[in-house]
Amino acid sequence: MRINRLFHACYFLLAIGYSLLAIPCFAQEIKLTAWVDKQVITMEETVLFSITVSGAQDTNQPQLPQLEGLALAFGPSLSDETQIVNNNVSISRTFTYVLTPKVPGKYTIGPVRLDYKNKTYTTEPVQIDVVSSKESSKKGTEMDMGKRIFIELSTDKKEAYTYEQITLTFKLYCQRGFPVDNLQYIPPATKNFLLEKLGAQREYEEVRDGIVYHVVELRTALFPVMVGELLVPPATIKCNALLRSKQRNSSYDPFFDDFFGTTRHKFPVERQTEPITLTIKPLPEEGKPSDFNGAVGSYNMEVSSRSTNVKVGDPITLTIKISGEGYVHAIGEPSMSNTEGFKVYPAESRADITERKTSDLIRGWKEFSKVIEPVKAGIKETPTINFSFFDPGTAQYKTITSSPIPITVEAAEERMPVQLASTGNDRPKEQARVLKKDILPLMTNLSTLTNQGDLLYKNPILLGFLTLPLISIIASVIIQKRTEKFKTDSSYARKKRAFVRAKMQLRAADHLTTQTELYSIISKALCEYIADKLNAPVASITSHNLPVKLGQYDLSPEIIGELTHCLDTCEHGRFSNEKRQESTLGGQEVLKSAERLIKQMERKI
Amino acid sequence: MVKYFYPKKMVFALKASNVIARLTKRDCFASLAMTFLVSRSNLLLLILIIFFHAEIVYPNTLSKDTAIELFTRANGEYETATKFLSEKNESAAQEGFIHASQLYEQILTSGFKNGQIYYNLGNAYYRQGKLGNAILNYRKSQKLMPRNEDLKANLKLAKAEVKDREKKNDVPQVIHAILFWYFTLNVNEATVLAMSFYLIFSASVLLLIFFRASWLNKLCIAFGICLILTTASLVIKICPHRGGEGVIIAETCKLRYGPGEEYETKLEIHEGTEILIKQETKDWLKAYVYVDIAQFGDIKGESEKKESEAFKTGWLPLDKVGKI
């Protein structure tokens, strides 16, 4: 039961809501329009002739007029449309007929009549051009392109006063269903005008010469700042019209075209309006008030004050708000009369445009904050504010005078003068007198209380440390020179490395087990050592020429003899079969002998 | 004494640590050196040696803690004396200032020297009315703290009270600006600066030896110039330390023609006057006094100037001069 009641309540509310929504549609005016989908057709094509009744859906079928050269193929088909935009409900009913041409020629359909509630409504006649299929290629697209998309630029008036509003309207007409792409609008490059946009762009449909157009409307308020013949330059649009390929069926059906992917080619379209010449008149000198400050329009003025009970010298802020139709930014500061007893400061102002969307006229306000300061007690009211403006509607000057605001001004209390800034008096400066000279207090910083008596340059460790870099430099120079000599002087390098090389060779020989290798290494080490020391080829060192080669050095004959013997023993040991039978002890003795000989030679050579 | 009681190795360690301690004047260095020089088995013995021979190792110089304690005490005495002075109790104040100056002197004679101590001592002497000693200590402090503004102010104030008009050839401001490091650094700071440049120069030379780059050559030249300048400044700074400047600490002092009472008096100079010591005997000093002489008036010509300069050099009794 409860659910049932709830359902009833919801239904009731919905019914009320629907009835409320439906109220505006009864008030809607009945309008009858007739239109065709295209004005030029071939003998093979059909044309859709539609009659739309706006504002009612309960009408009878309109009376179709006598058709010349055309025959009714099908119809009418009915379609009802309800639109709700911003709570505004609009309804319409459309009767559509399909007509086929009989004979080529120009025909007029209509006017169509409709009787509804004892009133007769008629449409404008619609022109149709029936052509043969040969002509259609010429007329089809190119002829119609001018009617399919075009623009208009207009002003609401051709004559105006300076700073009087002129509404510039730009309209783009595009046939319903005609596809366009990359639409680009170039507004007129207006000079000598102040511009204010009048709301957002409007979009609606309009029937013209039997064709339904989708219209985009842009409006701009112009305020001329110059006098004379002023030119509004042309506006331009650029777009691409998307035209179907001619290979396909000429009948236009977007659904099938899109479904089968019909190719469309872009046809660039550029439209330009005619320039508009406006006559701007100067403001009349006759009757111009003396305090006129350039305001043009229709305005009201409000004056208010926050404080009315003040003391002498206290500021009073008068708020003057001027609102109305016109270019509020151009309004000058209103004049003030009866300012005796007041100190008047320049006003600060701010302005805003409040209405530009709904109305055709720009509306706004400008607020002046004027500070006045009473200089004597007993003043009863504020000064009078006068504001003069030129009303272009009546072509007359008007002056608004505000009634003074009653105030109470009391005598000020005695106050200390406020020093705002130095007045730059050249008064001689006085020197501060030194009362007593005295020494400054003790130093008590314990963190820096270190023994400064130790002089660093007397510290022997530090001085010793300072010799290290010097030693490093000397050592580096010696090393560097030695390295360079090793690189450049090969005999020096051989001589210096001889002992180390020989020692390493003999050390390596110590681990050998076979006699032949041992003798070979010893012989090689000795020969190479002597060759390196003498800077001679190794092959030139033999046991026979040793006395000659080493004769120039301070070597005893015993050493040379022992050396010769040692080399001979090695040679013998390497190549003689007899020696192979000897134990390794003989080889070790030769090795020790070679080591001793090299050490002895190292001292002398 | 040590030699006879401890093993030979220990005696050597002790001697070595003594030498290091004297060189470094740090206890820790001494003990560290000893620790390295003796074996572990003698470590306990070593600690005992350090304990008993601490005085031998480090005989005179105060430790920092003791110096701080004495310094704080002296400052307290000075502050108390200042309060007495404000209460018009001059005798108690005088006593306090004397006590404070004695404590400061005690720190300084122990070998612990610091610019703050000299400055405070100067203040204590100033309060006692000993202007010569005050200026002497301010000047000593200035050698250690050449950038201290308080010190400059006090020295200026003290000098303003000196009876003799000072005549010194002040160094022009331009020279001050060019050789700023010479005038704003004390000896130790100048030493550190010169040493730093020495090390950087050495490093750049080392690099140049191994990597013969032209920019390194330029770098070496630049650091070499810096090293020469800073070392020259340091040497000039050190020389006056040895040459000697002084301040008259007696109320009056006679500048005589020769080193003895028998010589005639050239000039009578007063407490606080600065002098440049040129020669020193047992009881007398040959010095140039920085005073303006009335006899010569406005000096005209080079000969008069030389005569005036020569007249300012004479002999002063040693006990009436304080060396800076």
Side-chain angles (χ1 to χ4, degrees):
Chain A
M1 284 295 283
R2 276 186 182 177
I3 293 165
N4 210 9
R5 276 184 190 172
L6 192 68
F7 177 76
H8 278 291
C10 288
Y11 184 78
F12 180 69
L13 285 169
L14 277 170
I16 290 172
Y18 183 78
S19 61
L20 285 169
L21 285 170
I23 288 166
C25 74
F26 290 120
Q28 199 177 338
E29 197 183 340
I30 302 294
K31 196 178 170 187
L32 193 68
T33 49
W35 50 279
V36 286
D37 63 336
K38 50 189 170 250
Q39 280 192 311
V40 180
I41 55 164
T42 60
M43 286 298 291
E44 288 81 28
E45 288 177 327
T46 56
V47 62
L48 295 177
F49 177 68
S50 305
I51 300 157
T52 302
V53 185
S54 304
Q57 287 180 336
D58 54 345
T59 60
N60 295 325
Q61 186 180 329
Q63 297 167 10
L64 203 63
Q66 192 69 38
L67 298 169
E68 278 183 50
L70 297 161
L72 180 65
F74 174 75
S77 64
L78 265 175
S79 68
D80 290 338
E81 194 176 304
T82 305
Q83 277 190 340
I84 304 170
V85 180
N86 296 333
N87 267 348
N88 290 326
V89 182
S90 59
I91 54 169
S92 63
R93 169 169 280 189
T94 305
F95 301 90
T96 308
Y97 301 88
V98 180
L99 305 176
T100 53
K102 290 177 186 172
V103 187
K106 287 189 177 179
Y107 304 105
T108 304
I109 309 171
V112 180
R113 289 188 175 191
L114 174 73
D115 294 322
Y116 178 66
K117 291 187 180 175
N118 302 325
K119 277 189 178 178
T120 304
Y121 301 92
T122 54
T123 66
E124 293 291 321
V126 179
Q127 299 285 336
I128 288 180
D129 197 358
V130 180
V131 294
S132 62
S133 55
K134 287 178 185 174
E135 289 176 82
S136 68
S137 60
K138 292 177 186 174
K139 289 187 177 179
T141 55
E142 292 153 20
M143 183 187 74
D144 275 343
M145 199 59 79
K147 284 191 175 179
R148 286 187 173 185
I149 182 162
F150 59 93
I151 54 172
E152 280 182 3
L153 188 70
S154 61
T155 53
D156 63 337
K157 55 188 91 163
K158 297 289 179 193
E159 274 190 5
Y161 290 100
T162 50
Y163 284 105
E164 184 186 348
Q165 182 181 332
I166 301 162
T167 307
L168 181 75
T169 309
F170 168 82
K171 285 182 183 176
L172 166 68
Y173 288 85
C174 188
Q175 189 182 353
R176 189 160 76 173
F178 182 69
V180 288
D181 189 13
N182 291 338
L183 186 67
Q184 191 185 349
Y185 169 57
I186 302 158
T190 46
K191 288 178 185 175
N192 307 322
F193 292 98
L194 296 168
L195 304 181
E196 286 292 338
K197 202 176 166 188
L198 268 171
Q201 68 179 33
R202 292 181 190 173
E203 290 188 33
Y204 52 89
E205 288 191 338
E206 189 179 314
V207 177
R208 189 179 278 200
D209 297 334
I211 299 174
V212 181
Y213 289 98
H214 182 78
V215 183
V216 179
E217 186 182 288
L218 295 170
R219 294 185 309 147
T220 312
L222 302 180
F223 295 93
V225 293
M226 295 274 289
V227 175
E229 298 284 320
L230 300 185
L231 191 76
V232 179
T236 311
I237 61 146
K238 287 177 182 175
C239 65
N240 289 324
L242 300 173
L243 298 178
R244 284 172 295 136
S245 177
K246 280 289 165 189
Q247 278 77 16
R248 288 193 59 82
N249 189 358
S250 59
S251 65
Y252 173 65
D253 192 332
F255 174 76
F256 286 106
D257 283 355
D258 290 341
F259 186 79
F260 292 112
T262 308
T263 51
R264 292 167 185 251
H265 67 270
K266 289 180 180 178
F267 186 81
V269 176
E270 185 173 337
R271 297 280 182 271
Q272 197 174 49
T273 61
E274 291 296 318
I276 301 168
T277 307
L278 298 170
T279 307
I280 307 303
K281 298 179 282 185
L283 297 177
E285 288 298 318
E286 193 184 336
K288 186 187 268 187
S290 59
D291 60 347
F292 177 71
N293 220 346
V296 177
S298 176
Y299 299 104
N300 287 318
M301 182 172 72
E302 289 171 28
V303 180
S304 61
S305 171
R306 283 183 201 166
S307 47
T308 52
N309 196 354
V310 292
K311 288 176 180 168
V312 172
D314 286 350
I316 301 168
T317 307
L318 294 175
T319 306
I320 307 156
K321 188 172 184 179
I322 296 160
S323 55
E325 292 163 357
Y327 192 69
V328 288
H329 292 287
I331 297 172
E333 188 185 330
S335 65
M336 197 174 264
S337 55
N338 303 329
T339 56
E340 195 187 339
F342 288 98
K343 192 177 177 182
V344 182
Y345 293 96
E348 287 181 3
S349 67
R350 59 197 182 103
D352 192 23
I353 291 170
T354 53
E355 201 171 312
R356 64 170 93 210
K357 289 179 183 173
T358 51
S359 172
D360 286 343
L361 293 169
I362 291 279
R363 288 184 67 84
W365 56 265
K366 190 164 188 177
E367 195 176 87
F368 296 90
S369 295
K370 186 97 178 159
V371 176
I372 54 170
E373 197 177 282
V375 292
K376 60 181 181 184
I379 297 171
K380 301 286 181 194
E381 55 190 26
T382 61
T384 315
I385 312 289
N386 304 310
F387 173 61
S388 298
F389 61 94
F390 178 74
D391 188 351
T394 57
Q396 280 183 344
Y397 289 99
K398 288 180 182 173
T399 301
I400 308 170
T401 304
S402 76
S403 51
I405 300 164
I407 53 167
T408 313
V409 179
E410 292 172 12
E413 291 169 9
E414 284 205 10
R415 283 183 288 189
M416 290 294 287
V418 177
Q419 181 74 31
L420 293 173
S422 172
T423 49
N425 288 341
D426 296 330
R427 200 168 50 193
K429 305 287 181 201
E430 285 181 14
Q431 288 180 325
R433 281 173 58 203
V434 178
L435 297 175
K436 191 169 177 67
K437 281 186 177 178
D438 198 7
I439 53 170
L440 293 166
L442 295 181
M443 291 183 190
T444 54
N445 189 357
L446 296 178
S447 62
T448 57
L449 195 76
T450 52
N451 192 354
Q452 295 175 309
D454 298 333
L455 295 170
L456 282 174
Y457 70 89
K458 285 182 178 172
N459 192 325
I461 290 178
L462 201 69
L463 293 174
F465 171 73
L466 288 179
T467 56
L468 287 178
L470 204 65
I471 293 164
S472 310
I473 290 168
I474 294 163
S476 303
V477 170
I478 292 165
I479 291 165
Q480 190 67 14
K481 283 200 168 180
R482 196 183 158 85
T483 314
E484 271 182 23
K485 201 168 183 183
F486 263 97
K487 281 178 187 170
T488 53
D489 192 347
S490 63
S491 67
Y492 176 81
R494 284 184 73 186
K495 201 174 177 180
K496 287 288 168 190
R497 286 172 187 153
F499 181 70
V500 180
R501 278 180 65 188
K503 213 175 172 182
M504 282 173 76
Q505 280 174 326
L506 291 176
R507 200 175 290 167
D510 202 17
H511 303 290
L512 293 171
T513 50
T514 59
Q515 287 293 305
T516 314
E517 284 178 352
L518 184 65
Y519 285 126
S520 172
I521 294 291
I522 293 166
S523 171
K524 193 187 168 193
L526 280 171
C527 289
E528 279 185 2
Y529 175 78
I530 294 162
D532 284 348
K533 280 288 179 186
L534 302 178
N535 193 26
V538 182
S540 69
I541 307 298
T542 60
S543 58
H544 304 292
N545 64 3
L546 268 181
V548 182
K549 293 257 179 189
L550 297 171
Q552 56 182 312
Y553 298 100
D554 188 22
L555 286 171
S556 63
E558 288 81 25
I559 294 172
I560 296 169
E562 200 178 343
L563 192 63
T564 313
H565 177 71
C566 194
L567 279 174
D568 284 340
T569 312
C570 288
E571 293 302 310
H572 205 248
R574 281 167 70 193
F575 304 112
S576 169
N577 290 332
E578 292 169 29
K579 286 290 168 188
R580 290 179 192 229
Q581 305 301 319
E582 280 189 10
S583 66
T584 51
L585 190 65
Q588 290 296 331
E589 280 172 359
V590 174
L591 181 67
K592 279 177 187 170
S593 173
E595 279 177 353
R596 198 181 65 252
L597 282 168
I598 284 170
K599 275 179 190 170
Q600 282 173 346
M601 279 192 287
E602 183 65 25
R603 285 188 213 122
K604 301 284 181 184
I605 303 173
Chain B
M1 191 178 86
V2 173
K3 205 161 90 178
Y4 299 108
F5 287 98
Y6 303 115
K8 270 189 177 178
K9 196 176 179 182
M10 192 57 61
V11 172
F12 171 72
L14 188 61
K15 278 183 177 176
S17 63
N18 262 319
V19 171
I20 294 166
R22 274 177 196 158
L23 293 174
T24 59
K25 292 191 178 175
R26 296 287 185 278
D27 283 327
C28 57
F29 275 98
S31 56
L32 194 71
M34 287 169 80
T35 317
F36 278 111
L37 287 166
V38 298
S39 61
R40 278 185 201 173
S41 57
N42 293 323
L43 194 63
L44 185 67
L45 200 59
L46 169 74
I47 293 162
L48 288 170
I49 291 164
I50 294 168
F51 183 75
F52 287 114
H53 295 275
E55 286 302 310
I56 301 167
V57 172
Y58 214 29
N60 296 320
T61 312
L62 280 179
S63 68
K64 190 181 175 183
D65 291 341
T66 319
I68 287 173
E69 191 196 330
L70 281 173
F71 182 70
T72 317
R73 265 176 61 199
N75 288 352
E77 290 284 345
Y78 182 95
E79 296 297 344
T80 315
T82 310
K83 278 181 189 170
F84 283 132
L85 198 67
S86 65
E87 290 162 6
K88 308 289 179 194
N89 188 353
E90 287 186 5
S91 60
Q94 188 72 1
E95 204 177 316
F97 288 128
I98 290 167
H99 198 197
S101 61
Q102 282 170 348
L103 285 169
Y104 290 130
E105 291 279 15
Q106 192 185 335
I107 306 168
L108 294 167
T109 48
S110 73
F112 193 96
K113 289 174 182 174
N114 187 281
Q116 288 192 64
I117 303 170
Y118 280 120
Y119 170 87
N120 289 1
L121 181 61
N123 275 13
Y125 277 128
Y126 182 87
R127 287 281 184 242
Q128 290 169 50
K130 293 178 177 175
L131 199 61
N133 275 316
I135 291 172
L136 175 69
N137 283 293
Y138 285 146
R139 292 284 284 117
K140 282 180 178 176
S141 177
Q142 201 175 31
K143 298 275 179 191
L144 299 172
M145 304 190 299
R147 300 183 295 278
N148 195 291
E149 293 298 323
D150 285 9
L151 175 62
K152 282 179 192 168
N154 280 11
L155 182 62
K156 193 180 174 187
L157 185 77
K159 277 192 171 182
E161 291 179 27
V162 175
K163 282 183 184 172
D164 299 322
R165 191 162 67 187
E166 191 177 54
K167 194 178 182 189
K168 252 184 179 178
N169 291 327
D170 288 330
V171 182
Q173 280 302 115
V174 184
I175 305 294
H176 263 278
I178 295 167
L179 303 171
F180 63 93
W181 66 89
Y182 177 78
F183 295 100
T184 54
L185 301 178
N186 65 26
V187 176
N188 277 352
E189 287 166 345
T191 310
V192 169
L193 186 71
M195 272 166 53
S196 306
F197 276 117
Y198 170 68
L199 291 174
I200 297 166
F201 174 72
S202 303
S204 50
V205 168
L206 272 173
L207 283 171
L208 187 68
I209 290 167
F210 291 106
F211 313 101
R212 293 175 186 280
S214 61
W215 63 272
L216 269 172
N217 208 0
K218 287 172 188 169
L219 206 70
C220 280
I221 293 166
F223 285 128
I225 291 166
C226 291
L227 176 63
I228 291 164
L229 283 174
T230 49
T231 312
S233 304
L234 179 65
V235 170
I236 296 164
K237 220 177 219 318
I238 291 164
C239 284
H241 275 260
R242 287 174 182 165
E245 280 179 306
V247 180
I248 304 298
I249 51 172
E251 203 170 329
T252 56
C253 183
K254 285 172 181 169
L255 184 78
R256 292 179 186 274
Y257 282 91
E261 294 283 344
E262 65 273 20
Y263 289 97
E264 287 295 323
T265 308
K266 263 189 180 181
L267 298 166
E268 191 177 67
I269 50 177
H270 298 89
E271 194 178 14
T273 303
E274 286 192 37
I275 61 164
L276 178 70
I277 301 163
K278 293 190 168 180
Q279 196 185 333
E280 193 178 335
T281 63
K282 192 185 173 189
D283 298 318
W284 290 84
L285 285 171
K286 190 183 181 184
Y288 172 84
V289 291
Y290 294 116
V291 289
D292 199 8
I293 309 170
Q295 187 192 338
F296 287 91
D298 292 335
I299 296 163
K300 289 170 187 171
E302 200 62 30
S303 60
E304 268 190 33
K305 195 179 176 183
K306 277 184 182 175
E307 201 180 335
S308 162
E309 294 302 306
F311 200 79
K312 289 182 199 173
T313 307
W315 291 84
L316 294 163
L318 189 63
D319 59 335
K320 292 189 177 179
V321 175
K323 286 184 192 173
I324 296 170

